[in-house]
Amino acid sequence: MVKKKVVVAMSGGVDSSVAAALLKQQGYEVTGMMLRLWSEPGKEDSNRCCTPDSMAQARRVAGILDIPFLCN
């Protein structure tokens, strides 16, 4: 049986982390990802939607879930 594949946009928060965990638990082949959608010139490290801390947290959760994590 071939597993269905799904990509979960992970923010580093609880909602997306739980969604990834539940999908994996249900037998999906899950890949986590985070997109850096915007940033102000000179403030790339303080982007509200994709901070280095949120990226690190999402990467940590993906590691715990043993799923690949992609980030642009």
Side-chain angles (χ1 to χ4, degrees):
M1 182 173 124
V2 176
K3 285 187 175 184
K4 292 184 180 180
K5 297 178 181 183
V6 65
V7 174
V8 176
M10 296 179 72
S11 65
V14 173
D15 295 341
S16 57
S17 299
V18 170
L22 289 173
L23 287 164
K24 183 172 180 180
Q25 184 180 55
Q26 293 173 16
Y28 287 86
E29 184 178 326
V30 180
T31 298
M33 68 178 294
M34 180 180 277
L35 295 176
R36 191 172 190 156
L37 299 175
W38 64 270
S39 62
E40 296 177 38
K43 295 185 178 184
E44 291 81 6
D45 289 339
S46 64
N47 188 336
R48 290 182 295 164
C49 74
C50 309
T51 66
D53 287 341
S54 62
M55 195 176 303
Q57 181 61 22
R59 191 177 305 281
R60 248 187 315 265
V61 170
I64 291 167
L65 296 175
D66 194 29
I67 63 172
F69 180 75
L70 308 171
C71 186
N72 71 338

